[in-house]
């Protein structure tokens, strides 16, 4: 009976591993999408900085801008190039991570398909519903429950060492003499015999061994019970942490959207002032930095919210979809 349970336990272990790999692949995939969006955003910044540098150089040539203004825009462009390269390197690294998870050959070249939209504000189920489902259906719980059953069978098996054993034995045979004066078939008939017997074995000198085996099996049973309770506690805390993370991520996304909205407008106005030559270089850079920070926060918050929501829903048995 324990052997089929062991097979089931191995299957649940495989399912647990599949779940872990699924979450890791999802995280790697979303990281690549984040990198791609960061690359596009930094490419736009490079284009904008290039145009701003060209304009400032023109203003310097006509005497309406200082040399230091040109140098500042040159530094800005260099910084934007650096950030673009950093984003591109991050994409390469995350692709390597995904390639390792998918066990693709090192020479295999691939790219991920970017969805039209990434839903980051999906509904978050209540914690009680998710915890109840997870504690009843997750493979790690099923595996721990099987561990308790297997340990119980091991205790019964160890106790069986105290029981006497009854063995049934039987045999048949015949004999034949190689003598031409005797008929062979008659010999087989006359010399044919059967035997049978029962053997009763009573354990007398194995009492200490049996006692030790039973004690070990009981300890293993207690450890299995504790392992089950620990697995339940860990899963409950994990789902609660995922719930809090999902809620916080969506709140951060809402704040990031508002922050980006206002900083984009202020940066747009500062850019227009720059174009007509009515600008304060210090104020412009302050607004630009605020815009850059707001955009970076928004991109990060969007993918954090998308990942957190999908991880949390995964504990409810919901397939991960983007």
């Amino acid at each position: 009976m324990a052997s089929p349970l062991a097979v089931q336990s191995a299957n649940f272990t495989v399912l647990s591993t599949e779940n872990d790999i699924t979450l890791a692949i999802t995280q790697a995939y979303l990281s690549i999408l984040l990198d791609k969006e960061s690359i596009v955003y930094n490419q736009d910044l490079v284009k904008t900085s290039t145009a701003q540098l060209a304009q400032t150089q023109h203003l310097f040539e006509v005497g309406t801008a200082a040399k230091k203004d040109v140098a500042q825009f040159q530094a800005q462009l260099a910084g934007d190039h650096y950030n673009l390269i950093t984003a591109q390197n991050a994409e390469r690294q995350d692709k390597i991570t995904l390639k390792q998870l998918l066990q693709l050959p090192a020479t295999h070249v691939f790219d991920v398909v970017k969805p039209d939209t990434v839903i980051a504000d999906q509904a978050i189920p209540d914690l009680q519903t998710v915890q109840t489902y997870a504690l009843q259906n997750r493979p790690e719980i099923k595996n721990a429950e099987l561990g308790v059953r297997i340990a119980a069978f091991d205790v019964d098996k160890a106790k069986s060492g105290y029981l006497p054993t009854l063995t049934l034995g039987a045999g048949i045979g015949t004999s034949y003499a190689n003598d031409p004066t005797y008929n062979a078939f008659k010999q087989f008939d006359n010399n044919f015999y059967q035997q049978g017997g029962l053997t009763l074995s009573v354990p007398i000198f194995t009492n200490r061994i049996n006692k030790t085996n039973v004690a070990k099996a009981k300890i293993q049973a207690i450890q299995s019970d504790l392992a089950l309770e620990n697995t339940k506690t860990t899963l409950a805390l994990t789902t609660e942490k995922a719930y809090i993370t999902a809620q916080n991520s969506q709140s951060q996304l809402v704040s990031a959207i508002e922050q980006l909205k206002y900083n984009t407008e202020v940066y747009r106005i500062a850019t227009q002032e720059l174009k007509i030559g009515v600008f304060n270089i210090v104020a412009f850079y302050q607004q630009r930095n605020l815009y850059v920070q707001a955009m970076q926060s928004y991109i990060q918050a969007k993918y954090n919210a998308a990942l957190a929501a999908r991880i949390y829903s995964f504990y409810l048995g919901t397939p991960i979809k983007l």
Side-chain angles (χ1 to χ4, degrees):
M1 183 65 180
S3 180
L5 292 181
V7 173
Q8 293 182 45
S9 177
N11 290 333
F12 283 125
T13 300
V14 171
L15 290 176
S16 295
T17 303
E18 288 179 354
N19 287 341
D20 293 338
I21 293 175
T22 298
L23 292 178
I25 290 175
T26 302
Q27 184 169 3
Y29 175 68
L30 287 173
S31 294
I32 294 173
L33 294 185
L34 186 153
D35 297 333
K36 286 183 175 296
E37 190 160 340
S38 295
I39 289 172
V40 173
Y41 155 69
N42 281 288
Q43 287 173 338
D44 289 340
L45 284 180
V46 168
K47 292 179 182 178
T48 302
S49 295
T50 301
Q52 290 171 345
L53 173 60
Q55 180 182 358
T56 307
Q57 285 178 328
H58 173 71
L59 294 176
F60 170 72
E61 291 170 358
V62 298
T64 58
K67 181 63 177 178
K68 68 175 183 179
D69 296 336
V70 176
Q72 286 179 325
F73 278 103
Q74 288 173 333
Q76 173 184 290
L77 180 59
D80 291 339
H81 275 297
Y82 176 84
N83 292 333
L84 175 59
I85 294 173
T86 300
Q88 292 171 337
N89 288 337
E91 182 190 20
R92 295 190 187 100
Q93 292 295 330
D94 289 331
K95 281 185 176 180
I96 291 175
T97 300
L98 183 58
K99 185 184 292 187
Q100 291 173 336
L101 290 171
L102 297 175
Q103 295 187 340
L104 297 175
T107 56
H108 183 76
V109 179
F110 78 105
D111 200 358
V112 301
V113 177
K114 184 177 180 179
D116 295 333
T117 58
V118 176
I119 302 175
D121 56 350
Q122 66 184 60
I124 299 178
D126 66 276
L127 178 60
Q128 185 62 44
T129 299
V130 174
Q131 283 186 335
T132 300
Y133 178 89
L135 292 173
Q136 293 177 351
N137 297 278
R138 291 283 294 187
E140 54 265 42
I141 297 296
K142 297 292 186 182
N143 197 10
E145 291 173 345
L146 283 177
V148 173
R149 293 177 61 186
I150 292 174
F153 280 116
D154 289 340
V155 171
D156 293 337
K157 181 180 178 181
K159 289 181 178 179
S160 67
Y162 288 111
L163 302 176
T165 57
L166 184 63
T167 306
L168 173 65
I172 59 175
T174 185
S175 61
Y176 166 70
N178 189 15
D179 189 337
T181 62
Y182 292 96
N183 182 283
F185 293 102
K186 190 172 182 65
Q187 288 187 66
F188 287 144
D189 181 58
N190 292 337
N191 297 330
F192 183 76
Y193 60 88
Q194 309 87 30
Q195 64 181 8
L198 293 173
T199 302
L200 179 64
S201 300
V202 180
I204 298 177
F205 300 104
T206 60
N207 184 61
R208 183 175 295 277
I209 296 176
N210 292 333
K211 185 177 181 180
T212 301
N213 291 338
V214 171
K216 288 182 178 179
K218 287 183 176 180
I219 292 174
Q220 183 60 45
I222 294 174
Q223 290 177 338
S224 298
D225 290 333
L226 293 176
L228 174 58
E229 292 303 316
N230 182 65
T231 302
K232 289 181 178 179
T233 302
T234 300
L235 182 58
L237 293 175
T238 300
T239 52
E240 184 175 2
K241 181 179 179 180
Y243 174 71
I244 294 173
T245 301
Q247 282 192 322
N248 290 342
S249 297
Q250 288 199 353
S251 298
Q252 289 174 347
L253 176 59
V254 172
S255 298
I257 291 173
E258 288 295 311
Q259 185 182 32
L260 177 61
K261 175 183 175 182
Y262 296 120
N263 279 287
T264 299
E265 178 62 18
V266 174
Y267 178 59
R268 185 191 65 80
I269 296 173
T271 302
Q272 292 299 321
E273 291 177 345
L274 178 65
K275 289 181 179 180
I276 62 177
V278 183
F279 68 98
N280 180 293
I281 193 66
V282 175
F284 173 79
Y285 269 105
Q286 289 177 340
Q287 297 305 325
R288 185 182 188 276
N289 290 337
L290 289 174
Y291 166 75
V292 170
Q293 293 171 4
M295 177 60 76
Q296 291 173 341
S297 297
Y298 165 71
I299 295 174
Q300 188 70 51
K302 181 172 70 173
Y303 286 98
N304 284 346
L307 178 62
R310 281 153 183 78
I311 290 177
Y312 178 63
S313 297
F314 191 61
Y315 288 104
L316 190 58
T318 304
I320 294 180
K321 296 181 181 179
L322 297 174

